Amino acid sequence: MTTRSVLVTGGGRGIGRAIALRFAEAGCAVFVNFFVNREAAEKTAAEIVHRGGAATLVQADLKDPAQIRRLFEEVRQRTIELMAAKEHLEEEVAGRTREMEQAKQQLELQVEQLKLLNSAMMGREERILQLKETLRMLQDEASGDPGPSTEFH
Protein backbone atom coordinates (compact mmCIF):
# COMPACT_ATOMS: atom_id res chain seq x y z
CA MET A 1 0.00 0.00 0.00
CA THR A 2 1.35 3.39 -0.98
CA THR A 3 1.09 6.04 1.69
CA ARG A 4 -0.13 9.28 0.24
CA SER A 5 0.21 12.72 1.72
CA VAL A 6 -2.55 15.29 1.58
CA LEU A 7 -2.63 18.94 2.52
CA VAL A 8 -5.94 20.08 4.01
CA THR A 9 -6.36 23.82 4.27
CA GLY A 10 -8.49 24.97 7.17
CA GLY A 11 -8.11 21.47 8.64
CA GLY A 12 -8.74 22.58 12.20
CA ARG A 13 -12.51 23.19 11.96
CA GLY A 14 -15.71 22.33 10.16
CA ILE A 15 -15.50 20.81 6.71
CA GLY A 16 -11.69 21.00 6.69
CA ARG A 17 -11.55 18.96 9.89
CA ALA A 18 -13.98 16.38 8.52
CA ILE A 19 -11.96 16.10 5.30
CA ALA A 20 -8.69 15.74 7.25
CA LEU A 21 -10.14 12.96 9.43
CA ARG A 22 -11.54 11.15 6.39
CA PHE A 23 -8.21 11.25 4.53
CA ALA A 24 -6.49 9.92 7.66
CA GLU A 25 -8.98 7.04 7.84
CA ALA A 26 -8.08 6.25 4.22
CA GLY A 27 -4.43 5.90 5.26
CA CYS A 28 -3.09 9.26 4.13
CA ALA A 29 -0.51 11.28 6.01
CA VAL A 30 -2.39 14.53 6.64
CA PHE A 31 -0.90 18.01 6.71
CA VAL A 32 -3.33 20.15 8.70
CA ASN A 33 -3.02 23.76 7.59
CA PHE A 34 -4.10 26.64 9.80
CA PHE A 35 -3.58 30.37 9.71
CA VAL A 36 -4.60 31.64 13.17
CA ASN A 37 -6.38 28.89 15.13
CA ARG A 38 -3.49 26.59 16.07
CA GLU A 39 -5.47 25.04 18.94
CA ALA A 40 -8.21 23.73 16.63
CA ALA A 41 -5.60 22.36 14.21
CA GLU A 42 -3.79 20.67 17.10
CA LYS A 43 -7.05 19.00 18.15
CA THR A 44 -7.58 17.68 14.63
CA ALA A 45 -4.00 16.41 14.45
CA ALA A 46 -4.34 14.78 17.89
CA GLU A 47 -7.53 13.03 16.77
CA ILE A 48 -5.79 11.74 13.63
CA VAL A 49 -2.88 10.40 15.68
CA HIS A 50 -5.30 8.91 18.26
CA ARG A 51 -6.94 6.97 15.42
CA GLY A 52 -3.55 5.64 14.32
CA GLY A 53 -2.79 8.11 11.54
CA ALA A 54 -0.03 10.59 10.84
CA ALA A 55 -0.60 14.33 11.07
CA THR A 56 1.62 17.37 10.73
CA LEU A 57 0.64 20.95 11.47
CA VAL A 58 1.58 23.56 8.87
CA GLN A 59 0.87 27.25 9.40
CA ALA A 60 0.42 29.61 6.46
CA ASP A 61 -1.64 32.59 5.35
CA LEU A 62 -3.08 31.48 2.02
CA LYS A 63 -3.51 35.10 0.91
CA ASP A 64 0.26 35.55 0.85
CA PRO A 65 2.03 33.97 -2.18
CA ALA A 66 5.36 33.74 -0.33
CA GLN A 67 3.71 31.79 2.52
CA ILE A 68 1.98 29.52 0.03
CA ARG A 69 5.35 28.70 -1.59
CA ARG A 70 6.86 28.07 1.86
CA LEU A 71 3.88 25.88 2.77
CA PHE A 72 4.29 23.70 -0.31
CA GLU A 73 8.05 23.45 0.20
CA GLU A 74 7.51 22.41 3.84
CA VAL A 75 4.93 19.80 2.81
CA ARG A 76 7.22 18.52 0.05
CA GLN A 77 10.22 18.24 2.39
CA ARG A 78 8.22 16.59 5.17
CA THR A 79 6.70 14.14 2.67
CA ILE A 80 10.19 13.13 1.56
CA GLU A 81 11.14 12.58 5.21
CA LEU A 82 7.99 10.51 5.82
CA MET A 83 8.65 8.38 2.75
CA ALA A 84 12.25 7.74 3.87
CA ALA A 85 11.07 6.79 7.36
CA LYS A 86 8.42 4.48 5.89
CA GLU A 87 10.99 2.81 3.63
CA HIS A 88 13.34 2.33 6.59
CA LEU A 89 10.56 0.75 8.67
CA GLU A 90 9.57 -1.55 5.82
CA GLU A 91 13.18 -2.74 5.49
CA GLU A 92 13.39 -3.30 9.24
CA VAL A 93 10.14 -5.25 9.27
CA ALA A 94 11.33 -7.38 6.34
CA GLY A 95 14.59 -8.12 8.15
CA ARG A 96 12.80 -9.06 11.35
CA THR A 97 10.37 -11.21 9.40
CA ARG A 98 13.32 -13.12 7.88
CA GLU A 99 14.86 -13.55 11.34
CA MET A 100 11.57 -14.84 12.74
CA GLU A 101 11.20 -17.29 9.83
CA GLN A 102 14.71 -18.61 10.45
CA ALA A 103 14.00 -18.98 14.18
CA LYS A 104 10.75 -20.78 13.37
CA GLN A 105 12.57 -23.20 11.09
CA GLN A 106 15.18 -23.88 13.79
CA LEU A 107 12.44 -24.56 16.34
CA GLU A 108 10.65 -26.90 13.96
CA LEU A 109 13.91 -28.80 13.41
CA GLN A 110 14.48 -29.05 17.16
CA VAL A 111 10.93 -30.33 17.68
CA GLU A 112 11.49 -33.03 15.05
CA GLN A 113 14.77 -34.00 16.71
CA LEU A 114 13.03 -34.26 20.08
CA LYS A 115 10.30 -36.41 18.58
CA LEU A 116 12.90 -38.78 17.13
CA LEU A 117 14.76 -38.91 20.44
CA ASN A 118 11.52 -39.56 22.32
CA SER A 119 10.60 -42.32 19.88
CA ALA A 120 14.03 -43.92 20.29
CA MET A 121 13.78 -43.71 24.08
CA MET A 122 10.33 -45.31 24.07
CA GLY A 123 11.67 -48.15 21.92
CA ARG A 124 14.52 -48.67 24.39
CA GLU A 125 12.09 -48.75 27.32
CA GLU A 126 10.02 -51.43 25.58
CA ARG A 127 13.16 -53.49 24.88
CA ILE A 128 14.30 -53.09 28.50
CA LEU A 129 10.89 -54.27 29.75
CA GLN A 130 11.02 -57.25 27.37
CA LEU A 131 14.54 -58.11 28.54
CA LYS A 132 13.48 -57.85 32.18
CA GLU A 133 10.53 -60.16 31.53
CA THR A 134 12.72 -62.63 29.68
CA LEU A 135 15.31 -62.52 32.47
CA ARG A 136 12.61 -63.10 35.10
CA MET A 137 11.26 -66.03 33.14
CA LEU A 138 14.77 -67.52 32.79
CA GLN A 139 15.39 -67.03 36.52
CA ASP A 140 12.06 -68.69 37.32
CA GLU A 141 12.92 -71.65 35.07
CA ALA A 142 16.35 -71.96 36.64
CA SER A 143 14.87 -71.99 40.14
CA GLY A 144 12.17 -74.46 39.20
CA ASP A 145 9.32 -71.95 39.73
CA PRO A 146 6.81 -72.43 36.91
CA GLY A 147 5.79 -68.78 37.13
CA PRO A 148 2.22 -67.60 37.02
CA SER A 149 -0.37 -70.35 36.75
CA THR A 150 -2.04 -70.78 33.41
CA GLU A 151 -4.58 -73.38 34.57
CA PHE A 152 -8.24 -72.69 34.06
CA HIS A 153 -10.76 -73.60 36.76
Side-chain angles (χ1 to χ4, degrees):
M1 178 177 152
T2 301
T3 300
R4 295 185 180 256
S5 296
V6 62
L7 169 63
V8 180
T9 59
R13 300 184 322 229
I15 294 172
R17 175 181 168 82
I19 291 170
L21 293 173
R22 182 63 190 107
F23 271 118
E25 288 174 8
C28 295
V30 180
F31 290 88
V32 181
N33 165 249
F34 68 97
F35 174 46
V36 176
N37 195 345
R38 181 179 193 92
E39 185 178 337
E42 286 175 342
K43 287 180 183 178
T44 299
E47 182 64 25
I48 289 169
V49 170
H50 177 74
R51 294 180 184 189
T56 303
L57 296 179
V58 285
Q59 192 277 334
D61 178 357
L62 299 181
K63 294 177 281 187
D64 182 343
Q67 286 192 35
I68 293 171
R69 282 189 295 278
R70 181 192 49 79
L71 171 69
F72 280 109
E73 180 56 30
E74 185 177 340
V75 168
R76 185 186 72 75
Q77 186 59 41
R78 184 68 180 132
T79 298
I80 291 169
E81 292 169 7
L82 288 171
M83 289 171 58
K86 178 181 180 266
E87 185 177 311
H88 174 74
L89 287 174
E90 287 172 345
E91 289 172 3
E92 189 172 323
V93 166
R96 299 234 175 158
T97 300
R98 283 189 299 275
E99 289 172 7
M100 290 176 63
E101 185 59 35
Q102 290 171 350
K104 178 184 171 200
Q105 290 172 354
Q106 287 177 334
L107 283 173
E108 288 172 348
L109 179 62
Q110 289 173 349
V111 166
E112 287 305 312
Q113 290 171 342
L114 286 172
K115 285 179 181 178
L116 288 172
L117 181 60
N118 186 40
S119 176
M121 294 301 288
M122 289 181 71
R124 286 182 183 166
E125 287 178 18
E126 289 174 12
R127 286 194 298 273
I128 289 170
L129 290 175
Q130 288 173 349
L131 288 172
K132 283 183 177 180
E133 181 63 25
T134 302
L135 182 58
R136 188 188 58 75
M137 288 173 42
L138 289 173
Q139 288 173 343
D140 288 347
E141 279 182 20
S143 68
D145 184 2
S149 174
T150 55
E151 292 182 19
F152 293 101
H153 298 271

